[in-house]
Amino acid sequence: MVEHRRGANLPSIGGFNRTVVLDAVRRSPDGLSRVELAARTGLSAQTVSNVTRFLIEAGMIVESGTVVAGRGKPRTILRLEASSRYAVGVHVDPAVVTYVLLDLAGTVLAETTSSTPSAEDPDEVVRTIATAIDGLVAGAGIAVEAVLGVGIASPGPIDVDAGVVLDPPFLPRWRDVPLRDALAEATGFPVLLEKDVTAAVVGEMFLAGESSARNFAFVYFGTGFGVGLVVDHEPVRGVGSNAGDAGHIMVDQGGLAGTPDGSGARGEVGAAVAPDRLVEVARSRGLALGDPAREDDAAAVQRAWAALGEAIDADDPVAVTLAAEAGTVMGNAVVLIVNLLDIDRVVFGGPFWSRIAPVALPAARQAVVGSPLLVPKHPVVVQDSGRGADVAAVGAACLVLDAALSPRASALLIRR
């Protein structure tokens, strides 16, 4: 069970206490009584009473039935009112931009996609994304004032402080795009910008609730290969908030090496398992995935990837073997991360992951737990995220929910 944050009873930090209580209620789907809230948060009964009154008036929690617990007056159960507030998540991918609308519980209520605009004209980028966000909120029938904000997941590197997308390698025309502030001005919503790998790992933590692991690695398989890290319930962002680039890890590529004698060779994991390269390898092995002449852009690669997924579902031996080899190579890279951090859980996900997951996940798991290079002696769980291909967009929305609902110890710092 996740250890609940402890509150404080000083009136000057009422905002922190509200998030402590709200976070405790959110993490308890069956609801909590005021007595249970006081026990879990460390707040006094009077503080809990005051805070819950405020949250009820704000519509964020509701009284939902009573329970009898021993002698005395039955206790009133408090539950999260998921439909009281919402968050929008945006994932900027080389091929498409994905938009999702989440309620307070993290349930996806609406989603849509649009083609990724060229950043030669940054104003056009902002107009395209702002229009899509407005349409998503309006189409869901949500009041604008109920939207807490917008989270954007972008390929790195980014400048989080300035809110600028710098020069992502898979978006060559996106350079120094001031996405955060421009989008906030265009939509009127607060906007958060985060690297896609970090957004995905925040979403994994937020939606896992009570079952969230204290330490784990999130293997993000998108256009590039990245690894998001969580240490002591906190995502590792790094000095510039660009942590997670793991594509340069050198591994045994096995059958993906393409050596004449079929033997493995060492190389970068990102290059070995890049979706466009795996599509190439599949074709070289005789798998028909559409017209190769059309595979000159990100959208075309996605179409070929979908065809590869269909071949895996149909148990095509070439496709199944390729997916297993890709999973093994990723697992070989993960062993180094498990050794480095001594973690006991690895989660796989990302936009390109779900298509190969049925075969790649067991292969990756075996590569990790069966590796002769594995140092930790404790069990290592290797599992699927289950968040689907939209994990980065969902994670971006969870950034907003997390900022609004999760208590931060920094809120207690005395500022001059």
Side-chain angles (χ1 to χ4, degrees), residues 298-396:
V301 171
Q302 286 202 332
R303 290 192 295 270
W305 192 257
L308 176 63
E310 292 171 1
I312 292 171
D313 293 340
D315 288 328
D316 181 281
V318 173
V320 169
T321 298
L322 182 66
E325 290 172 346
T328 298
V329 171
M330 287 188 245
N332 290 340
V334 167
V335 169
L336 302 181
I337 296 168
V338 172
N339 286 346
L340 179 65
L341 297 176
D342 191 24
I343 54 178
D344 62 358
R345 186 175 301 269
V346 180
V347 181
F348 281 77
F352 281 89
W353 174 251
S354 60
R355 287 291 190 176
I356 65 171
V359 176
L361 182 64
R365 181 182 295 119
Q366 180 56 38
V368 174
V369 301
S371 173
L373 302 179
L374 188 67
V375 173
K377 301 306 177 185
H378 54 67
V380 179
V381 175
V382 180
Q383 65 187 71
D384 190 272
S385 167
R387 309 299 173 200
D390 297 338
V391 61
V394 171

Side-chain angles (χ1 to χ4, degrees), residues 82 85-87 100-110 206-207 394 397-398 401:
R85 301 291 190 279
Y86 305 88
V100 296
L101 179 71
L102 271 60
D103 64 15
L104 272 190
T107 302
V108 178
L109 303 179
F206 187 89
L207 297 177
V394 171
C398 287
L401 298 179

